[in-house]
Amino acid sequence: MEVPAVSLPVLSALAAGPAPSPSPSTSTGVTPTLQDAQESATHAASWVEENWSTWLSIGLRVLLVLVIAAVLRVFVRRAITKLIDRMSRTAQAVDGTALGGLLVNVERRRQRSQAIGSVLRSVASFLIMGTAALMILGTFEINLAPLLASAGVAGVAIGFGARNLVTDFLSGVFMILEDQYGVGDVIDAGVASGEVIEVGLRVTKLRGDNGEIWYIRNGEVKRIGNLSQGWATAGVDVTVRASEDLDHVRSVIGEVAETISKEEPWNERLWGPIEILGLDSVLLDSMVVRVSAKTMPGKALSVERELRWRIKRAFDAAQIRIVGGPTAPAEEEPLDPTAAVAAPSVFANAESVQSVATAPIPAPAPSSVVPK
């Protein structure tokens, strides 16, 4: 039998035994060496060397923008503060006059200055820092068009949802800037009236006549009647009988006006002489004499009450009678108490001829039979 021939390399391989399994490092790739790490570091260093000037310029631009924005913000805020202080000093200079001391008080100036300064400083900071942020994003070559479009859409949505809040805020800003009213003023806002105790950008607080506090949104105020600016008018109507002597009435009221004008504190609350305007109305049984005076703002009611008090006492002393109004009823004489008593009637006697004639059925005669 013939045996096939086997080559020498095959025999040597079989004699060496089974081949070892490959290591994981050789199966996944080439093992990193020190030379590869050196090459990577060299590439990184070269990339940094090529781009360091670009990053340095970008950093310097960002730093320059931030420094300019911070300096400009500080400068603008100081300028606004000085402007507000100058407004306050101008208001204090007006305090030397009789009218200025009443129109502008310390608390009102303080709150108004704080509100105006806060609004202006906030707006200035928002504009400066917002512009700086956009410039920084532009330095990094970021496309601002999608960002601005998204911000515009978001602003429209927020403005539409919070339109009442925006309306209140803008109305409050213009009310403060125009100095329509301030703390201590008595105003009529339409929806409520009273004394202003706090002025805000969104809400105004009023103290009512009964002590209640009204919170009024500035956007809901359509009209403002300020009763504390300028001067007020005190008017008193005196109704007397039509038979009174007008010259006598005028002289008595004139004496009252002269007396109250010389006494404190009414001489300070009266800003002009008390005038007798004349007859306001003349009726058949009464006439109305109109008395008027220019007073300090907010003091008209107290002056009217004092005038009524003094005029009533002066009229009582002068025996001038004040009647109950323009349609005062005429005095009626007392009625005769016997006028309501009827005359005696013949029908009052049941045995009279008239009573017997009007009786349809005569009364039965009493029976004389005595029952057993």
Side-chain angles (χ1 to χ4, degrees):
M1 184 169 128
E2 185 178 355
V3 178
V6 179
S7 61
L8 183 60
V10 176
L11 293 176
S12 60
L14 292 175
S21 60
S23 62
S25 61
T26 58
S27 62
T28 56
V30 181
T31 304
T33 61
L34 181 60
Q35 184 179 0
D36 296 335
Q38 291 178 353
E39 292 179 357
S40 299
T42 303
H43 288 305
S46 62
W47 184 84
V48 171
E49 184 179 359
E50 293 175 358
N51 297 281
W52 74 271
S53 60
T54 304
W55 286 103
L56 181 60
S57 62
I58 292 176
L60 291 177
R61 289 179 187 176
V62 171
L63 181 61
L64 182 62
V65 170
L66 291 177
V67 170
I68 294 176
V71 172
L72 184 61
R73 179 173 177 269
V74 172
F75 176 77
V76 172
R77 290 174 68 92
R78 287 185 179 179
I80 293 173
T81 303
K82 290 183 179 180
L83 178 62
I84 297 302
D85 293 340
R86 183 177 299 177
M87 292 174 56
S88 300
R89 288 196 299 267
T90 303
Q92 291 175 1
V94 180
D95 285 344
T97 62
L99 182 61
L102 299 171
L103 292 182
V104 187
N105 52 51
V106 177
E107 181 66 18
R108 176 174 178 175
R109 285 199 311 270
R110 185 186 65 82
Q111 287 205 4
R112 183 168 178 261
S113 300
Q114 286 183 354
I116 295 176
S118 176
V119 172
L120 294 180
R121 284 189 290 266
S122 299
V123 172
S125 299
F126 177 78
L127 292 178
I128 294 173
M129 301 310 295
T131 305
L134 294 178
M135 293 178 65
I136 291 173
L137 293 177
T139 303
F140 288 101
E141 297 182 358
I142 298 176
N143 188 9
L144 299 179
L147 181 62
L148 294 178
S150 302
V153 173
V156 171
I158 294 175
F160 182 78
R163 58 186 183 275
N164 292 333
L165 181 62
V166 175
T167 302
D168 297 340
F169 181 81
L170 294 178
S171 300
V173 169
F174 283 106
M175 286 179 181
I176 293 174
L177 291 177
E178 296 173 0
D179 195 18
Q180 297 180 5
Y181 54 84
V183 175
D185 289 351
V186 179
I187 65 171
D188 181 6
V191 294
S193 60
E195 181 182 357
V196 180
I197 60 177
E198 184 177 345
V199 179
L201 295 177
R202 193 182 69 88
V203 175
T204 298
K205 294 182 182 179
L206 300 181
R207 174 77 67 178
D209 297 335
N210 297 325
E212 68 276 9
I213 296 180
W214 297 97
Y215 294 85
I216 304 176
R217 290 170 43 194
N218 295 329
E220 294 182 351
V221 178
K222 304 301 181 183
R223 62 174 179 85
I224 291 291
N226 197 326
L227 307 180
S228 299
Q229 288 185 354
W231 44 268
T233 302
V236 176
D237 292 333
V238 183
T239 306
V240 297
R241 293 182 298 183
S243 59
E244 295 290 345
D245 186 4
L246 290 177
D247 295 334
H248 188 202
V249 172
R250 178 185 291 272
S251 63
V252 173
I253 297 177
E255 293 176 359
V256 172
E258 184 178 359
T259 303
I260 193 175
S261 300
K262 297 179 180 179
E263 296 181 359
E264 294 183 356
W266 309 109
N267 55 353
E268 297 180 357
R269 299 181 181 181
L270 290 171
W271 283 12
I274 299 177
E275 300 179 357
I276 303 174
L277 302 180
L279 291 177
D280 191 66
S281 64
V282 179
L283 300 177
L284 182 62
D285 51 0
S286 64
M287 55 185 177
V288 178
V289 180
R290 180 74 174 177
V291 181
S292 178
K294 185 180 295 185
T295 68
M296 179 187 302
K299 303 299 181 180
L301 186 59
S302 61
V303 173
E304 290 177 358
R305 292 172 176 171
E306 185 67 17
L307 276 176
R308 293 190 186 99
W309 181 281
R310 293 175 180 256
I311 289 175
K312 177 63 172 65
R313 295 180 61 181
F315 278 12
D316 291 343
Q319 297 182 353
I320 299 176
R321 184 173 180 182
I322 299 178
V323 296
T327 56
E331 297 182 359
E332 297 181 359
E333 297 181 358
L335 299 177
D336 186 4
T338 60
V341 179
S345 174
V346 294
F347 293 96
N349 186 6
E351 297 180 357
S352 64
V353 179
Q354 289 82 358
S355 298
V356 173
T358 56
I361 300 176
S367 176
S368 58
V369 179
V370 178
K372 295 181 180 181

